[in-house]
Amino acid sequence: MQAPLAFAAAPGFRAAMTDARPTPGVMQTLAPGIRRLLAPNPSPMTHWGTNTHILGEGAVTVLDPGPAIRAHYAAILAGLAPGERVARVLVSHPHLDHSPLARPLAEASDARVSGFGPPEAGRSAVMTDLAARGLASGGEGVDHGFAPDQRIEDGERIEIGNGATLEAVWTPGHFAGHLSFALGDVVFTGDHVMGWASTLISPPDGDLTAFLASCHRLAARKARLFLPAHGAPVTDPAARLDWLLAHRRNREAEILAALAQGPATPEALARAIYTDTPAALLPAAARNVFAHLIDLTTRDITRASPQIAADATFERIGT
Ligand SMILES: [Zn+2]
């Protein structure tokens, strides 16, 4: 596999860098050793669907094999070149649009499944406590049975053939055990940074405090390109991270402004703030607001009554 520096010169690079939706089931070469296959699972939460990435050549690594859709499973195998085989299956995080095909693909190929750990791995003390007391609800879309053969730690290096090495970068926030993977100055950002919108942060898997820290960590890497699991490649990683951080700061300011009117629940705040959001997406918006309120409460800016919970009433301290 050529160095990722060959990226910009690769055939198809410019086409793949556009926001145009790829055709599901059609393998695209983004660069030598980096292929993308779109799964047919578009939705308001997945945008055009899940991008499965195939890394290396010959004995390949499949990153985020995707949802339990037979046609996508078949397309992954059919899209490989003659003589190629799946040597490793990597999972950024165990959500149902990323991990369900990991086990069948690994078993069919005599490969191993690698990921951060079972779904609860990596949670902060606050989130572990919320989950244990059943106060966070959440848990939407989790692949509860996910159990990797091999657990990957932050900073771990993974050989993917031809001298290329992936570096695991633990990026909790969207999901506690969320991993991004750096290949030179290209980073596969999973759902941490997506190509089309800010990611959902739904406690106890989603953790806003961790999300902000992960954004700063990724920013420090000064990557040239992000390849997300949903949406188009992000060609301006620094600007994108700045936007995400600003977006969260703005949201926090809106929540504090709304709380200046009086104590409120996450649901009521979501209705007051997300005025142009379709009703069907308001529950997800309330989850995002709840994530902010947990962060604000742990920073002693808000207080929860009777305790931190999805249906608690939150108020500003000292106003
Ligand atoms: Zn996803």
Side-chain angles (χ1 to χ4, degrees):
M1 181 171 143
Q2 295 173 37
L5 289 176
F7 213 108
F13 175 84
R14 284 175 198 286
M17 291 303 112
T18 70
D19 289 342
R21 176 177 179 270
T23 305
V26 176
M27 191 76 79
Q28 289 180 296
T29 298
L30 300 185
I34 303 179
R35 282 168 280 179
R36 179 179 68 184
L37 182 68
L38 176 63
N41 62 330
S43 78
M45 304 307 292
T46 64
H47 186 47
W48 65 32
T50 302
N51 296 322
T52 294
H53 289 99
I54 288 90
L55 311 176
E57 289 160 353
V60 304
T61 294
V62 177
L63 170 59
D64 282 346
I69 298 177
R70 186 176 291 273
H72 188 57
Y73 172 81
I76 293 172
L77 293 174
L80 298 179
E84 285 195 317
R85 65 179 181 88
V86 177
R88 180 186 288 102
V89 181
L90 290 179
V91 171
S92 67
H93 66 296
H95 266 154
L96 289 171
D97 54 329
H98 295 257
S99 54
L101 283 184
R103 185 56 59 194
L105 196 60
E107 281 180 1
S109 316
D110 204 17
R112 282 192 306 182
V113 176
S114 305
F116 190 82
E120 66 281 2
R123 279 182 184 161
S124 70
V126 173
M127 295 304 166
T128 300
D129 182 58
L130 273 178
R133 292 187 292 135
L135 295 177
S137 61
E140 315 85 345
V142 175
D143 181 1
H144 291 286
F146 180 72
D149 301 312
Q150 181 202 23
R151 294 180 71 159
I152 299 175
E153 292 179 11
D154 183 39
E156 197 162 321
R157 291 176 173 277
I158 302 159
E159 302 293 328
I160 58 169
N162 290 352
T165 304
L166 280 181
E167 180 190 347
V169 186
W170 183 39
T171 44
H174 171 69
F175 201 91
H178 186 287
L179 289 169
S180 298
F181 293 94
L183 179 62
D185 57 5
V186 175
V187 182
F188 297 89
T189 50
D191 282 7
H192 182 75
V193 179
M194 303 194 297
W196 63 291
S198 176
T199 194
L200 174 69
I201 299 181
S202 177
D205 302 308
D207 183 329
L208 185 76
T209 312
F211 179 82
L212 300 175
S214 293
C215 283
H216 288 296
R217 261 197 100 190
L218 277 187
R221 300 187 69 91
K222 303 199 184 305
R224 185 169 53 90
L225 183 72
F226 286 165
L227 293 176
H230 302 283
V234 175
T235 54
D236 53 351
R240 185 75 185 171
L241 288 167
D242 282 348
W243 179 85
L244 282 174
L245 289 165
H247 175 72
R248 295 294 171 178
R249 274 195 302 273
N250 291 341
R251 192 65 84 204
E252 178 180 295
E254 287 176 326
I255 290 168
L256 290 174
L259 284 177
Q261 310 299 312
T265 62
E267 191 195 335
L269 288 167
R271 267 188 274 113
I273 294 167
Y274 289 76
T275 49
D276 53 359
T277 297
L281 294 180
L282 275 179
R287 306 298 303 163
N288 263 328
V289 170
F290 180 40
H292 274 280
L293 290 165
I294 294 171
D295 178 62
L296 286 165
T297 301
T298 56
R299 289 158 56 201
D300 289 329
I301 296 170
T302 57
R303 173 167 48 218
S305 303
Q307 59 193 329
I308 295 178
D311 58 355
T313 298
F314 291 81
E315 63 179 316
R316 283 189 74 163
I317 294 173
T319 58

Short mmCIF file of all heavy atoms in Angstrom, two decimals, residues 205-227:
data_model
loop_
_atom_site.label_atom_id
_atom_site.label_comp_id
_atom_site.label_asym_id
_atom_site.label_seq_id
_atom_site.Cartn_x
_atom_site.Cartn_y
_atom_site.Cartn_z
N ASP A 205 -24.27 6.38 27.19
CA ASP A 205 -23.19 6.08 26.22
C ASP A 205 -22.55 7.37 25.74
O ASP A 205 -21.34 7.45 25.56
CB ASP A 205 -23.76 5.29 25.04
CG ASP A 205 -24.40 3.99 25.50
OD1 ASP A 205 -23.73 3.25 26.23
OD2 ASP A 205 -25.57 3.75 25.16
N GLY A 206 -23.39 8.36 25.50
CA GLY A 206 -22.89 9.66 25.07
C GLY A 206 -22.48 10.50 26.27
O GLY A 206 -23.16 10.51 27.30
N ASP A 207 -21.36 11.21 26.12
CA ASP A 207 -20.80 11.96 27.25
C ASP A 207 -20.22 13.26 26.68
O ASP A 207 -19.19 13.24 26.00
CB ASP A 207 -19.71 11.09 27.90
CG ASP A 207 -19.09 11.75 29.13
OD1 ASP A 207 -19.01 13.00 29.18
OD2 ASP A 207 -18.66 10.99 30.03
N LEU A 208 -20.90 14.36 26.95
CA LEU A 208 -20.48 15.63 26.35
C LEU A 208 -19.12 16.08 26.84
O LEU A 208 -18.30 16.59 26.07
CB LEU A 208 -21.52 16.73 26.61
CG LEU A 208 -21.17 18.02 25.88
CD1 LEU A 208 -21.50 17.90 24.40
CD2 LEU A 208 -21.85 19.22 26.49
N THR A 209 -18.87 15.89 28.14
CA THR A 209 -17.57 16.30 28.69
C THR A 209 -16.45 15.57 27.95
O THR A 209 -15.44 16.18 27.56
CB THR A 209 -17.53 15.96 30.20
OG1 THR A 209 -18.73 16.43 30.82
CG2 THR A 209 -16.32 16.57 30.87
N ALA A 210 -16.65 14.26 27.74
CA ALA A 210 -15.65 13.46 27.02
C ALA A 210 -15.58 13.88 25.56
O ALA A 210 -14.49 13.92 24.97
CB ALA A 210 -15.99 11.97 27.14
N PHE A 211 -16.72 14.21 24.97
CA PHE A 211 -16.75 14.59 23.56
C PHE A 211 -15.88 15.82 23.30
O PHE A 211 -15.10 15.86 22.35
CB PHE A 211 -18.20 14.87 23.12
CG PHE A 211 -18.33 15.29 21.69
CD1 PHE A 211 -18.34 14.33 20.68
CD2 PHE A 211 -18.42 16.62 21.33
CE1 PHE A 211 -18.44 14.71 19.35
CE2 PHE A 211 -18.52 17.01 20.00
CZ PHE A 211 -18.53 16.05 19.01
N LEU A 212 -16.02 16.81 24.17
CA LEU A 212 -15.24 18.05 23.99
C LEU A 212 -13.74 17.75 24.12
O LEU A 212 -12.93 18.24 23.33
CB LEU A 212 -15.69 19.10 25.00
CG LEU A 212 -17.17 19.52 24.90
CD1 LEU A 212 -17.54 20.47 26.03
CD2 LEU A 212 -17.47 20.14 23.55
N ALA A 213 -13.40 16.92 25.11
CA ALA A 213 -11.99 16.56 25.30
C ALA A 213 -11.46 15.81 24.08
O ALA A 213 -10.32 16.03 23.63
CB ALA A 213 -11.83 15.72 26.57
N SER A 214 -12.28 14.93 23.51
CA SER A 214 -11.85 14.16 22.33
C SER A 214 -11.65 15.09 21.12
O SER A 214 -10.74 14.87 20.31
CB SER A 214 -12.88 13.08 21.99
OG SER A 214 -12.91 12.08 23.00
N CYS A 215 -12.50 16.10 21.00
CA CYS A 215 -12.33 17.07 19.91
C CYS A 215 -10.98 17.78 20.04
O CYS A 215 -10.26 17.94 19.04
CB CYS A 215 -13.46 18.11 19.93
SG CYS A 215 -15.02 17.50 19.27
N HIS A 216 -10.63 18.17 21.25
CA HIS A 216 -9.35 18.85 21.45
C HIS A 216 -8.18 17.90 21.15
O HIS A 216 -7.17 18.31 20.57
CB HIS A 216 -9.26 19.39 22.88
CG HIS A 216 -10.15 20.59 23.12
ND1 HIS A 216 -9.97 21.79 22.45
CD2 HIS A 216 -11.22 20.77 23.91
CE1 HIS A 216 -10.90 22.64 22.84
NE2 HIS A 216 -11.67 22.06 23.72
N ARG A 217 -8.34 16.64 21.53
CA ARG A 217 -7.29 15.64 21.25
C ARG A 217 -7.09 15.48 19.75
O ARG A 217 -5.97 15.43 19.26
CB ARG A 217 -7.72 14.28 21.81
CG ARG A 217 -7.12 13.94 23.13
CD ARG A 217 -7.27 12.45 23.36
NE ARG A 217 -6.05 11.74 23.06
CZ ARG A 217 -5.96 10.43 23.00
NH1 ARG A 217 -7.04 9.69 23.18
NH2 ARG A 217 -4.83 9.86 22.74
N LEU A 218 -8.19 15.36 19.03
CA LEU A 218 -8.08 15.19 17.57
C LEU A 218 -7.48 16.44 16.94
O LEU A 218 -6.68 16.35 16.00
CB LEU A 218 -9.45 14.91 16.95
CG LEU A 218 -9.94 13.46 16.98
CD1 LEU A 218 -11.24 13.36 16.18
CD2 LEU A 218 -8.90 12.50 16.41
N ALA A 219 -7.87 17.60 17.45
CA ALA A 219 -7.36 18.85 16.89
C ALA A 219 -5.85 18.91 17.01
O ALA A 219 -5.14 19.38 16.10
CB ALA A 219 -8.01 20.05 17.58
N ALA A 220 -5.32 18.40 18.12
CA ALA A 220 -3.88 18.45 18.37
C ALA A 220 -3.10 17.61 17.36
O ALA A 220 -1.90 17.82 17.15
CB ALA A 220 -3.58 17.98 19.79
N ARG A 221 -3.78 16.66 16.71
CA ARG A 221 -3.09 15.80 15.73
C ARG A 221 -2.85 16.53 14.41
O ARG A 221 -2.09 16.06 13.58
CB ARG A 221 -3.91 14.54 15.47
CG ARG A 221 -4.15 13.68 16.67
CD ARG A 221 -4.82 12.38 16.24
NE ARG A 221 -3.88 11.57 15.48
CZ ARG A 221 -3.07 10.66 16.01
NH1 ARG A 221 -3.12 10.42 17.30
NH2 ARG A 221 -2.24 9.98 15.26
N LYS A 222 -3.59 17.60 14.18
CA LYS A 222 -3.46 18.36 12.94
C LYS A 222 -3.57 17.46 11.70
O LYS A 222 -2.71 17.47 10.81
CB LYS A 222 -2.15 19.15 12.92
CG LYS A 222 -2.02 20.09 14.11
CD LYS A 222 -1.01 21.18 13.87
CE LYS A 222 -0.80 22.07 15.11
NZ LYS A 222 -2.04 22.66 15.63
N ALA A 223 -4.64 16.68 11.65
CA ALA A 223 -4.86 15.77 10.54
C ALA A 223 -5.18 16.55 9.26
O ALA A 223 -5.64 17.69 9.30
CB ALA A 223 -6.01 14.83 10.86
N ARG A 224 -4.91 15.91 8.13
CA ARG A 224 -5.18 16.53 6.84
C ARG A 224 -6.57 16.19 6.33
O ARG A 224 -7.17 16.93 5.55
CB ARG A 224 -4.13 16.06 5.83
CG ARG A 224 -4.19 16.71 4.46
CD ARG A 224 -2.94 16.36 3.67
NE ARG A 224 -2.72 14.93 3.63
CZ ARG A 224 -3.22 14.13 2.69
NH1 ARG A 224 -3.96 14.63 1.74
NH2 ARG A 224 -2.97 12.84 2.70
N LEU A 225 -7.07 15.04 6.74
CA LEU A 225 -8.35 14.57 6.21
C LEU A 225 -9.02 13.68 7.25
O LEU A 225 -8.36 12.85 7.88
CB LEU A 225 -8.09 13.77 4.93
CG LEU A 225 -9.31 13.24 4.18
CD1 LEU A 225 -10.04 14.40 3.48
CD2 LEU A 225 -8.90 12.19 3.15
N PHE A 226 -10.34 13.86 7.41
CA PHE A 226 -11.13 12.93 8.21
C PHE A 226 -12.01 12.11 7.27
O PHE A 226 -12.64 12.68 6.36
CB PHE A 226 -12.07 13.67 9.18
CG PHE A 226 -11.39 14.31 10.37
CD1 PHE A 226 -12.08 15.25 11.12
CD2 PHE A 226 -10.10 13.95 10.75
CE1 PHE A 226 -11.48 15.83 12.24
CE2 PHE A 226 -9.50 14.54 11.87
CZ PHE A 226 -10.20 15.50 12.61
N LEU A 227 -12.05 10.81 7.49
CA LEU A 227 -12.98 9.96 6.75
C LEU A 227 -13.98 9.40 7.76
O LEU A 227 -13.66 8.50 8.53
CB LEU A 227 -12.21 8.83 6.04
CG LEU A 227 -11.30 9.29 4.90
CD1 LEU A 227 -10.51 8.12 4.31
CD2 LEU A 227 -12.11 9.98 3.80
#
